[in-house]
Structures are given as structure tokens and as C-alpha cells.
């Protein structure tokens, strides 16, 4: 199977505000614009501009303006959102964007990811299932689904992450329904593979092999190893403790897990556990009428809750990881974060953390990258997506260091960078005491709002972002509520959030360096 | 963070009175032309296309269009006593999001400014930024010095020595248009050094007048559109004497085959390029059949197409192999063609991404033979149908965002297309017949008259030049590299070729024995350090 798409995060130094793509997926397609708001497009835009030779005006020192107070319109998201829930519990969302003529973005969100792999020895199944869905035997034919999609004409891809799996074919509105029995439409093909998946053990074993290939490919990235260690340390009693790819030994054993895979599908690929998000040049009422007959026979089933089996550790975790290739040293400082909740102060502050910590205007970023030049990159390892999660998860600050400096100074270099990161995070606890706190906060809100809108640049981007947030409370008003909660923030909210979350008992500090260059 | 990489931004001028190949000449307009797109989005995309680009640079002042455009944004504007400097511009636009900072693309015949502005601040944006930027540029001399230095650095180090792919693409573009305004990238060394503040003012006075501007806006709200249009009414006003408009000339005909080898000090692989000027652009009826043909032969960055399949997928030589019937800016990085670079004169080109040095000559033969073969055989009905289906799907990406839709609308103005390119794209594709595809291939493509550009290491360059001129068999990969088993029997090698790989080996042999017939005196080696000094190839 194809390689996973690599996050744009690999382009270090440009990523600060780019949301990271889900860790694994089928695509070789370039990462789409990431779900979610706020300058998430901006680093990418800057990079594109750079390589295009497009001239950007030089950005000067940030300063705060009165303009930031421009009145927010009543409704920020410009397109009508329609929702219908079928009798079997399937939520169907239609977002009408008629200006994108003939475009149909047809997305299925499955509310199951690595978090739902609760049995020991069976990690990685959600991701494997994403592969299997493309091998669906439409009309009993090997490769039947893929060939039918190819005849129809569509870009077709999917990704898996810790909470969800997302399938996102893109085609023409006219392809929603078929032209003949031999040329089924997208609706028929998608409904069929989700509700009546047909795959054999042979297919299963083949795809398990492909996933192993994917693991091996990703294994050359030191960040995978760091992530495995970090999650195991912070979440020893919750499925967030393993990555989406799964443990290596589980992936090796995957070909023998056919029965477990069938059980995973039977449990989670249920209409009440999925959301259809259809965006583009469509009319909601017509879509609802067409969708219903295709999906109504899909049988619902209660989905088991995911429960932690114990409390997370209550003291700081530290670990050093060695690496066999001569890569740049890494420092990760991670904090457990509260679960995502639309409208909560915690979630609203979370939206602004990239601008507060890792944007070129943030004091921490400037110190490490410009003043001391101790880091060649400073990012959130998972964007803000890492802590936009069903259960409390994690914020990871990731600094890439210089090999030469580490060779010279060893552990003292690590210590200095870690101390600087901790101090930068600590500063947020006094945010409201900054003289310009109020004005700065207003600018950040304004930038957040407009960058959020700028990210809504196509039906596919709109649908993906919507699905990402809708899943939490299944509220079609989620965009407005999230944006409103950011608007309500005060400088003291920042202080209080930082004081509650950025404490040693929530923290883990990991370092990674090439073995031979390690100094005692 | 906004260091500019001005590579490969090349453009030309558009003279209103010039007739396009088959289009009708647009009527001379006395004021700003306006195109709109009806989007309800709260962020409004605003673009201003100036119908002048690097092809209008005065001879010896290559870089004039580019530096004028950059200076409009970064060289301060407005009230000289209280100017909007680049720092102030950043401060003013920050609360409005990343897109509110203007950007500019400089092409051969156009210069396109873009910005994305919240609808509710647009009136203020017009007053504080849009109007003074276009009508009261100050061209601060210190900023000119800074931009000049950045441009020179980009030419001298980034483009020449770091961008092995881009340097080949730009060089092919230059050599195909030798002697015309298209023959240089956005700037040359001598040109950038020679440009004065006075020259910028003259360029501005000549080409930024309202009649040379096209405004594109992603809203049809009349008041907003009118205030944007009116804000441009004073553009180009200057006491500087205007320049004589530089005419845009067609490229010289290519006769026979010739090669330019760009020699880099440290290239670890060799990039291959070939091309020739086309007599049509997208305003010609043959464009669409030729487009479908090219989708089949060489779609950019797509595993669907023939060249990719043969050279990368089946044989594993490199990362990708493509062909083009239009200039495609920024090819190494973009998945789909960026808008903002329309040209009256287009060219056909083939791009073989870097391969091991040893395979360069074999693959030069391969690309030439394949082009010749393509022209000879054309496409079957089935291949045409597949290509049309693929072409249709490409539309979804070309038309993905409002920004792209508006970009194409501006290009439609340039080409005189009504209905526009994207508006008619799907209908045009559907209407193409396979007979038209094959006729267009025969009429417009050929392999006898080609210019090649090879980008390689300076130590390898003479060997490649000699090998091309030698007209000897040149082989690529060995059968073992295709996982074909070899046995020694009676002192001879016996290849156990499975039926499935026979055609591949036979084609390899055909390529190896194809004669390029290029004498050594039509092969030039040019050190990369000497490129882009002036508009002429050293």
C-alpha cells in the first residue's frame, strides 16, 4: 500500500503554525490544508510564497493596533450547514458551497481510531482498517471498489489518527449518483463499503504486510520513537499510550489478527458511530433524499465506552532516547492537556497557544531561534490537534537542536534548552501583567478569526475542518461556539490556564541524540 | 521570515494592440478593467494584474518589473511625512490575518498583486493600503538597495547553485526565447545592479496606468468593487518620463537539435530538459485536443501518465518525468500550475527529473525517441478516453479555491477568453474527439527541432557532451536491475527474461540505439556561475 503521507512538519522551521497531518494515512497526496483554524495555513502560505518567488511584504516587529477591535460579524462561518439524522443514527451534514461549481467533497468520519484499540496486542487495527476499506470487493470482484472509483473519476484518500478515521473522496457533483448499473455513483460505492464491507483473509494479510512496510518506513523518523516513548510514559493506563501505527510487535503479528479485525469493524463501523459530511455544489434537501435509501439498511449497535484503567502518573517523567543515525538532537517538552470541549475556556486558550509560544512573535520562539540560536526549529509536534481530543491528551513542544553544539556541550546544551522552554511556558502564568496584554490578546483573537476563515478555502478543506470539530458534541453550530469562546477570553484566562496545566506533575521531558555523539 | 526566493519568476508584457494567435484583439480600455467572482466568503480576495512583466524590462535593466513590484509593497507608500513602511504595513495588516499582507508574482507579461481582506475592513484597507500603495509609491532608495542585494544573492547562490531542478527549467525557458524579452528570469545580475530609483519611477509611470490594470475581486458587491476600482484611478501618475513600450516578440524558430549543458560544481545527478516553441496558446481551438494528448503523455506529478510510467514506475530512474504544453511556473514544488503567469508565446517541454549521471545520455535518447514515437502513433480511442477522464478529474484541483478561480479569471482577460478557461474546461474536454487529439499531436508536436538543457556536474559535463556527439549506443540499467535472473552458461551470460519484462528490455534496446545526430559543435557547456549575468547566454 502506499506510503503514509508525511506531515508538512518535516519542513522544519516553517511549521510553527501549521497543523500537523494525522500520523498515518494512505495517501501519497500532499497533505491537505489541515483541519482547524488560526494561522494554520500561514506557515504553509509563507513557504509556498517563498518557493514561488512570490514577494511578501517583509513582516516587521509585531505591534498591536486598535484595529484589532473590529466588530465580529454575527456569524463567522459563511456557508449554510444542514443536518439530518437517519433512523439508524447516521448523522448526515450538508454544507452548501455553490460557488465551487460541480465540486463534491464526500467525507465519512468514523469515530474510531487508535484510541479504540483497547485489547493488548491488537494495536494498529484502526489504521489497518483504513487500508482494508479500499480493498472492498464491490459486487464480489477483487479490487472492485478501486476500479469502480477509477472509472467514475475521483481523488480518493483517507487518514487515521488517535480518535478518528477519515475517508475523503473528491469528485464531481454529477458523480454522486451512477449513470448505469455498470457505472455506480459515489453514493452507492461509499455506502456499500461502509455498510457491507467485503474482504477476505487473503486481502487482510496482504494489507497487513503493507502496513508493516509503512511502519518500517516511518521507523526512520526519530519522532516516531520519541512519540512511542512519550505516550507510554504519560498514558500507561489509556489507549492514548500507543501510536496510531501500533506497536511494532503488534504490527508484525497483524496478519494473524483477522478475527480481531472483523470484530473491530463490527463494533465501530456502525452508522451511529459515523458522520457523513458532504460539501460542495449540492443542495441539502436533494442530498438528504438521495442518501437515505443507500444508508438506511446499515444496522446500528451501541458503541462501548473507552475507559482508562488507572490514573496517569502524578510526577514529572524524564527520559533520554538514543538513535543510531546521525540526526539532529531533539528536545520534547510535553504537558498533559484537558480534553477538548467546545465553549470551554481551556479549549479556547488552546486555540491561541501556537501564537503565544511558537510563532515568530512569541518570546520563547525568539529566544531559542533568534537571540540564542540554540534551536533550529521550534514547533508543536502535533499542531493543536494533539490536544483536540476526546479524552485528555497532550501538548508537545518540540525543539530541533544543532548537532555541532551538542557535540561540544552535550547534556549542558540539552539542559539549557529545556530550562528556556520551561521558562517560556512559565511566562504565560503572568500573561495578564504584560503592559500590552489586553491589546495583544485582541490581536491574537483577530488573527485567529481571520486565519480560521482563510483556511475555509475549498469544499474539501471546509468539510475536513468541520468534521474535526463536529465530532465532539455533534453540534452543527460548533464553529460559531468555538470562535465565540475565543472572543470571550481575557488576559487572566491565559494566566489561570497556564497555572493549572503547565505544572511538573503534568510534564514529560524527552531528549534524543545520536548514540556516538552522546556525552556523559 | 519572509525572505524572498525570487527564482524563476519570469514574465512578459502584454501589449493591448497585439493580436493573439487566434483570439481577437481586446479593445483598448481607457480605465481599469474589472472581473468579479460571486463568493459569499467573508474574506475577499483582491488581485490586480498589471499588463507588464519582465519581458518589458528595458534592455540592460532586467529586473525592472520585478523590483518595481516589490518596491510598491516594501518601498513605503502614502504621505512622505508619515509613510507606510514595510514595518508599519505588517503592523496594520496583522489583526486581519496572514492574507492581508500583499504579495506579488512577476511573470513575463504580467505582474499580479494579491491580497485577502476581511470584507468588513475592506474600506479601511483601501484607504490605508490599497490606494496609497498603487497611487503613491515612494520607492525608498534604502529599500531598493536591500531588495537589490537580496535579488543578487538569489541569482548568484540560490538559483545557480542550489536549485539543480529550477536552474534547468529556467535555462530552457531562456534559451528557447533567446533574443526576446522572454529570455531572462525576473532579473539578471547586471540588470539588477544597474536599476536606479529613476528607472523604477519610469517603469511605474509607463505600465501602472489604469488602462494597463485589471482588477479581480471575489465579490460582486457593487460599492466595494467600485471603491477598489476608483482607488486605482490615480495609478501610474508620475512626473517621470514614460518609457517606450518594449514590444513582445515571438521566439526564434528552432532548427535541428542543439544542447546546452549547465555545469555545476557539485551536482550529484543530472537533470534533462527539452523543448520547442509552440505556435498556439490556450486561446487556440487546438489547445484542448493538445491538452488531452499531454495529459496522457506527461501530466505533471501524476502516476497516470506515460513518461512517468515508463521512466519512473517501470524502470525506477528518478522521481518523475513529465511534459507540458504551457509554461508551468515553479515546477519543482507545485502540484498544480499556479495562476498569474500567462504568456502569449508558449512552448512544449519535457522534464526528466535528475537521474544518475551514467544514465543521462540513454535517457536523452529515450525522451527523444518517445516524443517521436508519440507523434508517429498518436493515441488509441481507449487511451483518449482515459486521458479525457483524467483531465476531468484534474479540474477539481485547478478550480479548488476562490483564489485559484479568480487567478484564472484574470488570465482569461489576458488571453481574451470568454467564456473563461475554467468555466468552459469540462465542456471543452468532453467535446474533444480522438481524431482531433491525433491531428493536434501531428500538427503541433515534433522531435526533429529541439533545444535540450542538461544540468550536471562540471566534471561530468564534457563526458556527456562527447557521448551525445558520438552517436554510439548508450545503455541504461542492466537487466539484473530489473530483477532479471542471469546465468553463466558456457562462458556466456544467459538472461532468463520473463514474458512480462520482454517489452521493457526491447524498448531499452531501441532507446540505446537511437541516434540523436547532434554534432559536437551544437553542444555548449556553460558554467552555472556564468548564467543570468545578462539576458544573453554566455
Amino acid at each position: 500500500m502506499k506510503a503514509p503521507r508525511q506531515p508538512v512538519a518535516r519542513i522544519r522551521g516553517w511549521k510553527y503554525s501549521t497543523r500537523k497531518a494525522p500520523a498515518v494515512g494512505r495517501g501519497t497526496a500532499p497533505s491537505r490544508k489541515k483541519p482547524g483554524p488560526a494561522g494554520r495555513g500561514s506557515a504553509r502560505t509563507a513557504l509556498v510564497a517563498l518557493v514561488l518567488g512570490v514577494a511578501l511584504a517583509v513582516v516587521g516587529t509585531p505591534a498591536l493596533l486598535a484595529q484589532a477591535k473590529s466588530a465580529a460579524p454575527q456569524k463567522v462561518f459563511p456557508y449554510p450547514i444542514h443536518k439530518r439524522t437517519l433512523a439508524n443514527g447516521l448523522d448526515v451534514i450538508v454544507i452548501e458551497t455553490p460557488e465551487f461549481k460541480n465540486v463534491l467533497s464526500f467525507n465519512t468520519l468514523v469515530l474510531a481510531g487508535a484510541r479504540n484499540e483497547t485489547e493488548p496486542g491488537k494495536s494498529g487495527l484502526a489504521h489497518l482498517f483504513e487500508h482494508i476499506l479500499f480493498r472492498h470487493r464491490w459486487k464480489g470482484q477483487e479490487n472492485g471498489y478501486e476500479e469502480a472509483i477509477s472509472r467514475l473519476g475521483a481523488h480518493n484518500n483517507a487518514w487515521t489518527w488517535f480518535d478518528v478515521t477519515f475517508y475523503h473522496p473528491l469528485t464531481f457533483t454529477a458523480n454522486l449518483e451512477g449513470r448505469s448499473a455498470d457505472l455506480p455513483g459515489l453514493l452507492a460505492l461509499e455506502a456499500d463499503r461502509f455498510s457491507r464491507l467485503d474482504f477476505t483473509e487473503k486481502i487482510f494479510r496482504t494489507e497487513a504486510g503493507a502496513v508493516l512496510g509503512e511502519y518500517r518506513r516511518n521507523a526512520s523518523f526519530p519522532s516516531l520513537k520519541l512519540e512511542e516513548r512519550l505516550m507510554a510514559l504519560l498514558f500507561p493506563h489509556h489507549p492514548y499510550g500507543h501510536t496510531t501505527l501500533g506497536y511494532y510487535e503488534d504490527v508484525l503479528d497483524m496478519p494473524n489478527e483477522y478475527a480481531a479485525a472483523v470484530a473491530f469493524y463490527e463494533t465501530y463501523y456502525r452508522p451511529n458511530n459515523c458522520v457523513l459530511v458532504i460539501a460542495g455544489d449540492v443542495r441539502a434537501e436533494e442530498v438528504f433524499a438521495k442518501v437515505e435509501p443507500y444508508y438506511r439498511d446499515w444496522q446500528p449497535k451501541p458503541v462501548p465506552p473507552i475507559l482508562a484503567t488507572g490514573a496517569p502518573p502524578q510526577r514529572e517523567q524524564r527520559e533520554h532516547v538514543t538513535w543510531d543515525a546521525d540526526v539532529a538532537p531533539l528536545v520534547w517538552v510535553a504537558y498533559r492537556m484537558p480534553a477538548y470541549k467546545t465553549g470551554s475556556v481551556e479549549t479556547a486558550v488552546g486555540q491561541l497557544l501556537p501564537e503565544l509560544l511558537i510563532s515568530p512573535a512569541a518570546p520563547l520562539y525568539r529566544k531559542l531561534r533568534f537571540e540564542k540560536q540554540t534551536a533550529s526549529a521550534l514547533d508543536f509536534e502535533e499542531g493543536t490537534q494533539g490536544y483536540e481530543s476526546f479524552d485528555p491528551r497532550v501538548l508537545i513542544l518540540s525543539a530541533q537542536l544543532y548537532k555541532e553544539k551538542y557535540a561540544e556541550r552535550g547534556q549542558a546544551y540539552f539542559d539549557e534548552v529545556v530550562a528556556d522552554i520551561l521558562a517560556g511556558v512559565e511566562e504565560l502564568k503572568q500573561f495578564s501583567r504584560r503592559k500590552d496584554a489586553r491589546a495583544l490578546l485582541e490581536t491574537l483573537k483577530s488573527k485567529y478569526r481571520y486565519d480560521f476563515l482563510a483556511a475555509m478555502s475549498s469544499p474539501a478543506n471546509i468539510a475536513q475542518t468541520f468534521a474535526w470539530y463536529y465530532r465532539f458534541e455533534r453540534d452543527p453550530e460548533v464553529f460559531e461556539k468555538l470562535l465565540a469562546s475565543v472572543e470571550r477570553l481575557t488576559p487572566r484566562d491565559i494566566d489561570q490556564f497556564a497555572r493549572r496545566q503547565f505544572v511538573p506533575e503534568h510534564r514529560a521531558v524527552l531528549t534524543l541524540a545520536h548514540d556516538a555523539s552522546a556525552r556523559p | 521570515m519572509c525572505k524572498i526566493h525570487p527564482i524563476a519568476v519570469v514574465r512578459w508584457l502584454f501589449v493591448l494592440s497585439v493580436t493573439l494567435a487566434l483570439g481577437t484583439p481586446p479593445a483598448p480600455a481607457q480605465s481599469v478593467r474589472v472581473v468579479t467572482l460571486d463568493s459569499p466568503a467573508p474574506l475577499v480576495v483582491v488581485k490586480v494584474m498589471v499588463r507588464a512583466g519582465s519581458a518589458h524590462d528595458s534592455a540592460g535593466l532586467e529586473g525592472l518589473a520585478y523590483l518595481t513590484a516589490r518596491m510598491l509593497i516594501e518601498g513605503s507608500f502614502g504621505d512622505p511625512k508619515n509613510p507606510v513602511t514595510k514595518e508599519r504595513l505588517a503592523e496594520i495588516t496583522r489583526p486581519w490575518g496572514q492574507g492581508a499582507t500583499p504579495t506579488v508574482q512577476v511573470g513575463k507579461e504580467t505582474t499580479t498583486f494579491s491580497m485577502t481582506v476581511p470584507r468588513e475592513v475592506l474600506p479601511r484597507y483601501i484607504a490605508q493600503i490599497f490606494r496609497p500603495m498603487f497611487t503613491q509609491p515612494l520607492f525608498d532608495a534604502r529599500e531598493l538597495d536591500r531588495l537589490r542585494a537580496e535579488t543578487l544573492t538569489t541569482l548568484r547562490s540560490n538559483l545557480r547553485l542550489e536549485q539543480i531542478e529550477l536552474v534547468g527549467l529556467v535555462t530552457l525557458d531562456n534559451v528557447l526565447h533567446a533574443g526576446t524579452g522572454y529570455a531572462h528570469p525576473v532579473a539578471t545580475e547586471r540588470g539588477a545592479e544597474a536599476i536606479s530609483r529613476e528607472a523604477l519611477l519610469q517603469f511605474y509611470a509607463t505600465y501602472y496606468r489604469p488602462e494597463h490594470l485589471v482588477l479581480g475581486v471575489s465579490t460582486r458587491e457593487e460599492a466595494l468593487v467600485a471603491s477598489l476600482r476608483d482607488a486605482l484611478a490615480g495609478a501610474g501618475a508620475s512626473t517621470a518620463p514614460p518609457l517606450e513600450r518594449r514590444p513582445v516578440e515571438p521566439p526564434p524558430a528552432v532548427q535541428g537539435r542543439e544542447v546546452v549543458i549547465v555545469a555545476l560544481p557539485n551536482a550529484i545527478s543530472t537533470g534533462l530538459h527539452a523543448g520547442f516553441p509552440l505556435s498556439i496558446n490556450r486561446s487556440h481551438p487546438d489547445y484542448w485536443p493538445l491538452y488531452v494528448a499531454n495529459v496522457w503523455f506527461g501530466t505533471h506529478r501524476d502516476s497516470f501518465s506515460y513518461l512517468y510510467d515508463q521512466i519512473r514506475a517501470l524502470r525506477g530512474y528518478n522521481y518523475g518525468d513529465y511534459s507540458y504544453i504551457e509554461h508551468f511556473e515553479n515546477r519543482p514544488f507545485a502540484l498544480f500550475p499556479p495562476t498569474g503567469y500567462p504568456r502569449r508565446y508558449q512552448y512544449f517541454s519535457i522534464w526528466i527529473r535528475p537521474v544518475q549521471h551514467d544514465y543521462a545520455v540513454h535517457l536523452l535518447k529515450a525522451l527523444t525517441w518517445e516524443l517521436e514515437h508519440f507523434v508517429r502513433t498518436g493515441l488509441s480511442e481507449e487511451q483518449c478516453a482515459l486521458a479525457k477522464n483524467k483531465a476531468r478529474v484534474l479540474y477539481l484541483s485547478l478550480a479548488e479555491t476562490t483564489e485559484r478561480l479568480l487567478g484564472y479569471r484574470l488570465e482569461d482577460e489576458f488571453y481574451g477568453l470568454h467564456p473563461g478557461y475554467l468555466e468552459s474546461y469540462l465542456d471543452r474536454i468532453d467535446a474533444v474527439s480522438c481524431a482531433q487529439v491525433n491531428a493536434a499531436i501531428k500538427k503541433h508536436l515534433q522531435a526533429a527541432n529541439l533545444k535540450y538543457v542538461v544540468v550536471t556536474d562540471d566534471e561530468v559535463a564534457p563526458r556527456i557532451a562527447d557521448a551525445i556527439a558520438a552517436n554510439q549506443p548508450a545503455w541504461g540499467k542492466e537487466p539484473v536491475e530489473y530483477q532479471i535472473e542471469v546465468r553463466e552458461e558456457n562462458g556466456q551470460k544467459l538472461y532468463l527474461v520473463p514474458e512480462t519484462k520482454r517489452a521493457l528490455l526491447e524498448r531499452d534496446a531501441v532507446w540505446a540505439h537511437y541516434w540523436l545526430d547532434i554534432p559536437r559543435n551544437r553542444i555548449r557547456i556553460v558554467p552555472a556561475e556564468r548564467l543570468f549575468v545578462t539576458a544573453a547566454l554566455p
Side-chain angles (χ1 to χ4, degrees), chain A residues 453-468:
Chain A
L453 288 170
M456 304 288 152
S457 58
S458 71
N461 292 335
I462 290 168
Q464 180 169 275
T465 309
F466 181 80
W468 179 260

Side-chain angles (χ1 to χ4, degrees), chain A residues 309-328:
Chain A
T309 54
Q314 291 303 311
R315 59 190 182 82
E316 187 189 71
Q317 307 288 311
R318 291 216 177 203
E319 191 165 304
H320 179 72
V321 174
T322 57
W323 195 250
D324 51 9
D326 190 11
V327 296

Side-chain angles (χ1 to χ4, degrees), chain A residues 25 27 45 128 154 182 193 200 247 302 317 368 443 517:
Chain A
T45 309
L128 176 61
D182 295 338
R193 71 165 170 164
T200 59
Y247 292 116
Q317 307 288 311
L368 295 186
T443 297
S517 63

Side-chain angles (χ1 to χ4, degrees), chain A residues 14 16 29-30 32-33 39 41-43 45-46 48-68 70-73 76-79 99-104 150-155 170-172 174 179 355 359-361 370 440 442-444 446-447 449-451 453-455 457-461, chain B residues 1-9 37-43 66 69-70 73-74 86-99 101-106 116-121 124 128 143 146-147 150 166 302 329-330 333-336 338 341 386 389-397 399-403 405 426:
Chain A
W14 289 101
Y16 86 92
R32 295 201 71 79
K33 293 104 214 173
S42 64
T45 309
V48 168
L50 177 87
V51 296
L52 272 176
V54 171
L56 296 167
V58 171
V59 177
T61 34
L64 224 275
L65 288 292
Q67 284 99 320
S70 62
V76 182
F77 184 70
Y79 302 102
E99 77 203 72
F100 298 97
K101 298 259 181 296
N102 303 318
V103 177
L104 173 65
S150 179
R151 281 196 302 275
L152 187 70
H155 287 299
L170 178 69
T171 186
F172 296 98
R179 278 159 271 173
E355 276 291 320
S359 87
F370 302 150
L440 175 58
E442 290 309 312
T443 297
L444 299 191
S446 181
K447 186 168 196 304
R449 185 170 66 242
Y450 289 124
D451 285 342
L453 288 170
S457 58
S458 71
N461 292 335
Chain B
M1 74 181 258
C2 293
K3 184 171 65 154
I4 314 301
H5 228 263
I7 1 199
V9 194
L37 204 66
D38 194 9
S39 166
L43 295 180
Y66 177 70
R70 294 277 310 266
I73 299 172
E74 297 169 52
K86 65 182 192 299
E87 289 83 5
R88 245 191 98 207
L89 175 65
E91 287 167 16
I92 296 170
T93 54
R94 189 179 183 204
W96 302 333
Q98 192 76 24
T101 307
T103 61
V104 67
Q105 298 157 278
V106 181
T116 303
V117 186
R119 197 175 291 257
E120 67 269 23
V121 302
R124 202 155 78 219
Q128 284 183 277
E143 294 300 327
R146 178 182 63 82
L147 287 172
E150 280 182 21
L166 205 45
D302 203 303
E329 189 75 9
N330 194 35
F333 312 103
L335 283 170
F336 300 99
Y341 301 93
L386 283 170
N389 205 34
K390 180 71 195 174
R392 288 180 58 85
V393 175
L394 288 173
Y395 169 86
L396 294 166
S397 301
E400 187 183 352
T401 62
T402 304
E403 203 276 335
L405 294 173
L426 293 167

